[in-house]
Amino acid sequence: MNPRLTALTAKRILQQFRRDRRTIGLLMLVPMLLLTLLWWMFGDTPDPSTGQPLFDPLGAKIMGLFPMILMFIITSVSTLRERTSGTMERLMASPVRRGDVVMGYAVAFGLVAVVQGTLLVLYSVYVLQLDIQGSTPALVLIIVMDALLGTALGLAASSLARTEFQAVQMMPAVILPQLLIAGLFMPRDAMPRALELISNALPMSYSIDAINHLLAGDTGAIWAEVGILAAFIVGALLLGVLTLRRRTG
Amino acid sequence: MNAPQAEPPAILVEHLRVVRGGKEILPDLSLAVPRGSVVGLLGPSGAGKSTLMRAIVGAQIVAGGGVTVLGHDAGTAPLRDRVGYVTQAPSIYPDLTVRENVAYFAGLVGAPKDQVAHTINAVGLADQTDQLAGTLSGGQLTRASLAAALVGHPEVLILDEPTVGLDPALRNELWKLFRRFADQGTTLIVSSHVMDEAVRCDRLVFLRDGHVLADGTLEEILAQTGAADAEQAFLTLASKEGAA
Ligand SMILES: Nc1ncnc2c1ncn2[C@@H]1O[C@H](COP(=O)(O)OP(=O)(O)O)[C@@H](O)[C@H]1O
Ligand SMILES: [Mg+2]
């Protein structure tokens, strides 16, 4: 990898992204709107065990999923476009390394993810009055990592897709299983043992585990999960690099 | 020219075999391209021109044989800022302006910044500099795509049908531009399915069904076939081969 080429590529991707005002708006607003719906449903419903609004635990746990899904789709479609339009072939014949392309996307969309995740958490905490016991910056960290994970998984998954339809279909294939068994609907240790083992292999599980620490007011306990999430992000990026082909058939 | 210490060719293709989608597209192709020349790669659509060019830039998986460019294996790291490639379909970013596109590709090969505007002028897009590439007309898009490859002043330029769909005046301008690059020592391979572009080239390679029908200067090929022009020479060679 070459930091100069990575930075140039990230800058180019952000230049392109900047032109698409509607996507930027949707990317920032849709997670907030979705969380508002949840607040509307559960804002006044008390949790039978704690007496706190049900919105607090539900909102905190589900929040990371929205940026993850949106970033996944944006990233997988943009890289696929690059492959089908011939610009990737051109890049692969240039001095750019495969790692520069993948890191260029990771850095560019990572910056977008930071803005998106931060806005979402601030909106939830200060406007919707989402109440977690743990620290708000820690919540921002986890939500931003979820968004980064979406970007990294999108980069890895897009190499399996040949068309834009396939790229979009990768989202339900990769993300929805995590929604179902990562501990959102049922604590992971209450699930059948086999499912629990499968959920151990899904990154979203660790995001929800970390949120559970925050909900219990135990901010200091999140670092193991943060580390595992980081490892998943790095792993998915590596996969993205390894599956990018300089030569094609 | 025939001195024993002659420079090695810019591009050397030896027994190249390429299979795409289960079909043998290039069965066994050998070719040498001398430095500083404009070589026309001519042949009908489907002859394998693009496939050969992809092999030369190292984008094509090859089944056998090899391609050496400037003494290095095709597509390897030492070549990537010395070989420019323009794909047949214009490939630049539609949501960037002409300037942003050319500046990005200039940055990748470390070209000086002033080359960006200079190259955009050279391909005749000065008025479109700040226009989004996605809003360019077909011919303008082709030229923008070309500018992105020319900007680094590579030693070898692989141009896949760069003049298709352009009006005669523009085609003339571009061929003059290619000639200027060749005069500065650049080796150019320019493909076309239009035979009348043969007169613009120093050397010609006729390609049909994945193999070389002829390789030489236009004069040599005309003398060899007794034809009046490139098109007739191609037809003569093709029918001779068909009969054999
Ligand atoms: N990806 C591919 N899979 C299978 N066949 C291909 C593929 N790409 C090109 N071909 C075939 O290879 C032959 C040569 O194609 P190409 O190199 O594009 O020719 P040209 O550029 O001379 O028009 C054609 O018969 C074409 O149909
Ligand atoms: Mg072609």
Side-chain angles (χ1 to χ4, degrees):
Chain A
M1 256 175 56
N2 174 326
R4 190 182 67 85
L5 299 183
T6 301
L8 269 175
T9 302
K11 179 182 155 209
R12 183 266 297 173
I13 294 162
L14 285 173
Q15 272 176 337
Q16 289 178 279
F17 185 69
R18 197 187 59 194
R19 294 257 154 63
D20 191 352
R21 294 276 163 77
R22 194 168 299 176
T23 296
I24 298 175
L26 288 169
L27 215 48
M28 299 299 160
L29 291 179
V30 166
M32 294 188 199
L33 287 175
L34 292 173
L35 220 61
T36 308
L37 289 180
L38 201 71
W39 165 83
W40 207 349
M41 277 191 289
F42 296 111
D44 290 333
T45 317
D47 186 327
S49 51
T50 60
Q52 291 270 91
L54 257 183
F55 173 64
D56 292 347
L58 265 182
K61 280 190 244 184
I62 219 167
M63 198 186 324
L65 205 65
F66 304 142
M68 182 155 112
I69 290 176
L70 296 181
M71 294 312 293
F72 181 94
I73 295 178
I74 295 261
T75 313
S76 51
V77 171
S78 350
T79 48
L80 185 92
R81 244 181 231 170
E82 184 124 56
R83 286 215 327 270
T84 52
S85 70
T87 48
M88 190 66 96
E89 180 163 327
R90 194 165 204 167
L91 291 182
M92 292 291 100
S94 83
V96 169
R97 310 272 167 104
R98 296 179 301 165
D100 296 320
V101 176
V102 169
M103 278 313 287
Y105 271 98
V107 168
F109 287 146
L111 289 174
V112 176
V114 168
V115 176
Q116 182 195 43
T118 308
L119 281 178
L120 179 61
V121 171
L122 294 181
Y123 173 75
S124 308
V125 170
Y126 294 104
V127 179
L128 301 180
Q129 304 290 320
L130 179 90
D131 187 14
I132 52 159
Q133 308 293 313
S135 89
T136 303
L139 184 59
V140 172
L141 175 69
I142 293 166
I143 301 306
V144 167
M145 288 188 89
D146 286 340
L148 281 173
L149 186 64
T151 292
L153 290 174
L155 278 164
S158 79
S159 66
L160 299 173
R162 301 217 176 279
T163 65
E164 274 190 38
F165 276 162
Q166 291 176 8
V168 174
Q169 292 302 321
M170 289 289 166
M171 194 283 286
V174 175
I175 309 277
L176 292 192
Q178 309 200 49
L179 168 74
L180 295 179
I181 62 171
L184 204 57
F185 291 113
M186 189 189 272
R188 293 202 297 132
D189 52 12
M191 294 193 303
R193 179 73 183 143
L195 278 186
E196 188 188 344
L197 287 178
I198 296 174
S199 77
N200 282 343
L202 303 178
M204 193 69 196
S205 303
Y206 300 95
S207 162
I208 291 180
D209 285 355
I211 302 277
N212 280 330
H213 292 311
L214 289 184
L215 287 166
D218 195 0
T219 302
I222 66 169
W223 298 109
E225 279 82 9
V226 167
I228 294 172
L229 275 177
F232 270 107
I233 293 172
V234 172
L237 290 177
L238 275 178
L239 201 61
V241 174
L242 293 176
T243 50
L244 201 59
R245 289 273 159 263
R246 224 173 242 293
R247 285 177 187 269
T248 54
Chain B
M1 280 304 280
N2 291 323
Q5 289 301 312
E7 260 192 290
I11 299 169
L12 191 61
V13 181
E14 291 173 301
H15 301 292
L16 177 67
R17 181 167 172 266
V18 174
V19 177
R20 299 182 86 172
K23 271 197 311 180
E24 201 171 49
I25 306 297
L26 305 178
D28 179 6
L29 194 145
S30 297
L31 190 68
V33 173
R35 292 188 193 226
S37 55
V38 180
V39 175
L41 181 59
L42 302 178
S45 177
K49 303 182 296 294
S50 298
T51 305
L52 174 58
M53 293 184 138
R54 280 168 45 82
I56 293 172
V57 298
Q60 177 65 50
I61 295 176
V62 304
V67 181
T68 319
V69 180
L70 304 172
H72 300 276
D73 284 339
T76 49
L79 290 176
R80 292 202 198 113
D81 54 0
R82 301 170 68 191
V83 177
Y85 173 41
V86 181
T87 50
Q88 182 166 4
S91 49
I92 53 171
Y93 300 99
D95 39 8
L96 292 184
T97 65
V98 172
R99 188 207 308 275
E100 288 166 344
N101 267 295
V102 177
Y104 175 56
F105 287 101
L108 294 187
V109 293
K113 283 216 162 64
D114 60 348
Q115 282 303 310
V116 175
H118 187 261
T119 308
I120 293 172
N121 284 341
V123 299
L125 286 180
D127 291 342
Q128 282 77 31
T129 299
D130 292 311
Q131 195 172 327
L132 288 183
T135 64
L136 296 174
S137 74
Q140 291 169 340
L141 194 61
T142 304
R143 283 178 283 148
S145 186
L146 188 60
L150 297 181
V151 70
H153 279 263
E155 291 163 61
V156 173
L157 265 170
I158 310 293
L159 310 178
D160 200 351
E161 309 226 12
T163 57
V164 166
L166 298 183
D167 65 72
L170 264 171
R171 257 168 58 181
N172 192 35
E173 285 299 308
L174 285 188
W175 277 107
K176 279 198 219 151
L177 185 66
F178 299 160
R179 177 56 57 194
R180 282 214 296 281
F181 271 87
D183 289 346
Q184 291 163 20
T186 303
T187 306
L188 291 94
I189 301 195
V190 183
S191 74
S192 180
H193 65 267
V194 185
M195 291 290 161
D196 55 13
E197 304 212 286
V199 295
R200 311 281 196 166
C201 307
D202 300 320
R203 296 179 67 81
L204 302 175
V205 174
F206 283 178
L207 203 63
R208 197 181 77 137
D209 290 340
H211 56 261
V212 175
L213 275 185
D215 176 5
T217 64
L218 180 58
E219 291 72 34
E220 286 167 6
I221 293 175
L222 293 183
Q224 178 197 337
T225 55
D229 59 19
E231 181 147 355
Q232 212 191 338
F234 189 94
L235 292 173
T236 308
L237 288 164
S239 66
K240 214 188 279 173
E241 196 197 48

